[in-house]
Amino acid sequence: MNQVSMTSALSTGQTSVAGASITAQAITKTYGEGPAAFHALGPIDLDIKPGEFVSLIGPSGCGKSTTLLLASGLEPLSSGTLEVDGKPLTRPLSEVGIVFQDHLLLDFRTALDNVMLQQEIRGLDKAVIRERADMLFDRLGLKGAQKKYPRQLSGGMRQRVSIARALVHDPSMLLMDEPFGALDAITRTQIRHDLEMLWLETRKTVLFITHSIEEAVGLSDRVLVMSTSPGRIIEEIKIDLPRPRPAHLGEYPEFSAYAEKIYSIFAKLGVYKF
Amino acid sequence: MTQISMLRRVAEPALWFVGLLVVWEILVRGFAVPTFILPAPSQFLTQMVVDYQRLAQHGWATTQMILIGFVAGAVPGLILAYLIARFRLAEQILYPVVVFIQGLPKITLAPLLLVWFGFSDFPKILLTALITFFPVLVDAVTGFRSIDKRQYYLSRSMGASWWQTFSKFELPTAAPYIFSGFRITVVVAVTVVIVVEWLNSQTGLGYLVLRAMDSSNTPLLFAILFVGSMIGVALSACVTLAERLLLPWKQA
């Protein structure tokens, strides 16, 4: 019951409600020019549907992060086309929340003020956003952390604040770049679950970057496996597991099958040398 | 608890200082050192009381020059620091000039500035500005560069304007570095102003130093030294106070 009331509260922001779609065709990224140019990524095609949870997984340096920056318009494409909700993306996407591996909270703002930065900069209604912030703090296990400065919080708490910051303005898309990479295993499992529950209620489009097979399979509707130099998507795996997924994914025999599949792709790529 | 530690922080150095003066007094009296070489603390402290008015008047004149010169150096320093930290082109064009200016032994410019600008406050202000400019700039560049590049991704994704990015991300991040630059530089400015006052002034502690030397009044020289160092300490404390008021998160 609580769940139901939360759903309406979380999705009745003043901005958009439904998730956005991302369509990319043959996007590439090249750094530098001439003979010194470095072809980092692509060509890559993406077709992410509204409300879909998609993970990009691959070895270090495969261009996962670059893909995220391109898909959000934060870095210009070297070639290819990119559409969000069917419209060509010409400037940085603003209907978006971003979470990086480091929390990137401003150390001179309290946890709440870091989250309210979205409201200040976007010029949104203060009371409405404040209410959402309080609710997100609640949902993310941050009760009582509002007035604390980032360095007074644990690593897991900081990352939770940064997730709250990414969601407080009710964006249609959530971009996460190895958001749990710097956390310990226990915290990671808990935050993974909390994120899944939030996502189930709000159904934002999520592009999730990780190098953890467990995270990718544990969270995603679809996993895209990437290879290195230049980064390309070499395999697409639909994850057909019930939600919410348990902390211990080994409960599903299918989980092992999915994980095994990704392992074997990595093995073929030479990511593992055993 | 905090009150005790505050008391200790003030009382301990104060006690050391008083102890030093006492030892000094004993040594000067014990070895009968002539006053014109090294006056006893009691002598120059008495001098401070006697010459209270002159010291206050000239001390205030010097302080004004320090403040004006400091602001005249720090403001362009901060602006250029921002440009250098943010724009490659600005870095390429400005940094060589800045390094050249820094390489100049600027204090030797003082006589030249007097030839050019004569008896006015302008040479004092200009030289103080030139000398304070560089350390302020260097610390501010470090401060502005300390921002994680991905913060700009965040600010852009929020649709932040230039001003919002500057005021909400860049300036507060750089502020602790800027203040530490200020704290050191403001003390250097005391010396600079006094030196230029030797050369061309009717006012200020530097002028008073010359008067004291003319009359071999060593106790007055020490009194001036004392006042000069008090100005330096006071200005530095003002910077610290301003930092506490403006950057409350450093205390939390």
Side-chain angles (χ1 to χ4, degrees):
Chain A
M1 205 208 92
N2 192 17
Q3 205 94 319
V4 173
S5 64
M6 272 304 171
T7 307
S8 54
L10 274 171
S11 50
T12 46
Q14 23 171 242
T15 44
S16 76
V17 180
S21 69
I22 309 175
T23 318
Q25 271 170 344
I27 57 171
T28 66
K29 184 70 183 175
T30 306
Y31 292 101
E33 281 170 23
F38 171 63
H39 180 54
L41 183 76
I44 275 182
D45 295 335
L46 291 171
D47 183 15
I48 301 172
K49 292 171 192 62
E52 198 178 16
F53 199 122
V54 175
S55 286
L56 280 172
I57 189 169
S60 302
C62 70
K64 300 180 294 256
S65 302
T66 309
T67 309
L68 180 135
L69 293 172
L70 294 183
S72 56
L74 288 169
E75 283 285 345
L77 305 170
S78 296
S79 66
T81 58
L82 181 67
E83 291 182 350
V84 172
D85 278 341
K87 278 170 260 161
L89 193 64
T90 50
R91 57 200 202 92
L93 206 56
S94 77
E95 273 299 296
V96 71
I98 307 179
V99 182
F100 289 98
Q101 177 171 353
D102 307 305
H103 54 86
L104 289 181
L105 298 174
L106 298 170
D107 61 4
F108 44 86
R109 284 176 166 254
T110 60
L112 180 65
D113 285 347
N114 263 291
V115 172
M116 293 301 282
L117 190 63
Q118 294 274 18
Q119 174 266 324
E120 286 174 36
I121 289 183
R122 292 168 187 272
L124 303 172
D125 186 295
K126 196 170 176 180
V128 172
I129 300 299
R130 177 61 208 266
E131 204 175 309
R132 282 185 54 85
D134 283 340
M135 192 173 46
L136 283 166
F137 270 67
D138 234 39
R139 287 300 312 274
L140 287 162
L142 287 166
K143 250 188 201 162
Q146 272 93 335
K147 291 204 167 124
K148 295 234 166 82
Y149 285 98
R151 67 189 158 82
Q152 297 171 308
L153 300 171
S154 68
M157 300 269 268
R158 283 182 213 144
Q159 201 56 310
R160 287 166 186 271
V161 175
S162 115
I163 292 171
R165 177 180 60 188
L167 289 172
V168 74
H169 53 299
D170 198 18
S172 53
M173 196 189 305
L174 186 57
L175 304 175
M176 307 183 95
D177 188 355
E178 296 190 27
F180 313 144
L183 305 176
D184 64 88
I186 296 170
T187 310
R188 214 183 299 158
T189 305
Q190 185 61 53
I191 296 198
R192 193 189 80 208
H193 173 72
D194 293 347
L195 176 68
E196 187 185 21
M197 295 309 286
L198 270 178
W199 175 78
L200 282 172
E201 289 161 29
T202 57
R203 293 285 176 169
K204 297 179 188 314
T205 307
V206 182
L207 185 56
F208 187 92
I209 288 174
T210 180
H211 49 227
S212 156
I213 292 172
E214 190 183 4
E215 265 170 23
V217 177
L219 279 167
S220 315
D221 296 324
R222 201 144 57 94
V223 177
L224 305 174
V225 185
M226 291 183 73
S227 71
T228 40
S229 52
R232 282 209 178 84
I233 293 168
I234 52 167
E235 188 85 42
E236 177 188 334
I237 301 165
K238 282 209 164 63
I239 309 294
D240 196 11
L241 294 174
R243 290 184 185 272
R245 295 172 187 169
H248 180 54
L249 287 156
E251 282 176 31
Y252 298 132
E254 302 97 310
F255 167 76
S256 313
Y258 287 126
E260 196 50 48
K261 193 167 178 190
I262 299 175
Y263 274 118
S264 67
I265 295 167
F266 281 175
K268 236 184 285 170
L269 283 175
V271 175
Y272 297 115
K273 294 181 185 70
F274 277 94
Chain B
M1 170 64 202
T2 51
Q3 269 187 335
I4 291 171
S5 67
M6 269 294 281
L7 194 68
R8 278 189 63 167
R9 269 179 54 192
V10 176
E12 274 183 7
L15 274 174
W16 277 108
F17 188 66
V18 170
L20 184 75
L21 291 182
V22 170
V23 172
W24 181 347
E25 183 86 29
I26 292 168
L27 288 177
V28 168
R29 287 179 186 235
F31 291 99
V33 182
T35 301
F36 74 90
I37 292 181
L38 185 66
S42 60
Q43 288 174 302
F44 68 77
L45 289 176
T46 312
Q47 193 73 42
M48 275 184 72
V49 178
V50 172
D51 270 326
Y52 161 75
Q53 229 175 357
R54 272 209 298 178
L55 284 168
Q57 180 202 334
H58 292 287
W60 173 235
T62 299
T63 307
Q64 280 177 303
M65 289 302 109
I66 293 167
L67 290 176
I68 297 170
F70 178 72
V71 171
V75 171
L78 291 179
I79 293 170
L80 287 189
Y82 178 75
L83 295 176
I84 287 172
R86 286 290 276 122
F87 304 104
R88 258 192 100 89
L89 188 66
E91 183 183 354
Q92 285 164 349
I93 295 171
L94 294 172
Y95 233 4
V97 180
V98 167
V99 170
F100 174 74
I101 293 177
Q102 175 55 9
L104 284 176
K106 284 173 286 292
I107 205 81
T108 56
L109 286 177
L112 188 63
L113 294 180
L114 295 187
V115 172
W116 287 348
F117 303 109
F119 269 78
S120 71
D121 288 335
F122 190 67
K124 282 185 256 184
I125 294 168
L126 186 59
L127 202 64
T128 311
L130 274 175
I131 288 178
T132 52
F133 164 80
F134 192 77
V136 166
L137 177 130
V138 169
D139 279 325
V141 167
T142 309
F144 284 123
R145 281 194 179 148
S146 72
I147 296 163
D148 192 310
K149 195 172 166 255
R150 290 166 301 172
Q151 293 285 7
Y152 291 111
Y153 288 139
L154 281 178
S155 76
R156 261 189 277 162
S157 79
M158 295 178 191
S161 64
W162 171 83
W163 173 247
Q164 285 175 321
T165 305
F166 178 73
S167 63
K168 294 188 190 292
F169 290 85
E170 296 174 320
L171 190 57
T173 306
Y177 295 86
I178 292 173
F179 273 108
S180 92
F182 280 2
R183 212 173 4 251
I184 294 162
T185 312
V186 83
V187 179
V188 176
V190 180
T191 311
V192 178
V193 170
I194 290 179
V195 168
V196 184
E197 280 167 350
W198 280 349
L199 296 172
N200 90 323
S201 201
Q202 303 289 333
T203 55
L205 293 179
Y207 163 78
L208 206 56
V209 165
L210 293 184
R211 296 293 301 270
M213 283 172 69
D214 284 344
S215 54
S216 301
N217 190 345
T218 316
L220 181 57
L221 273 181
F222 273 86
I224 295 165
L225 197 66
F226 200 78
V227 172
S229 89
M230 284 199 316
I231 292 173
V233 170
L235 290 175
S236 182
C238 285
V239 173
T240 305
L241 188 69
E243 183 176 10
R244 285 197 184 185
L245 293 175
L246 292 172
L247 319 182
W249 66 90
K250 302 291 284 180
Q251 314 303 317

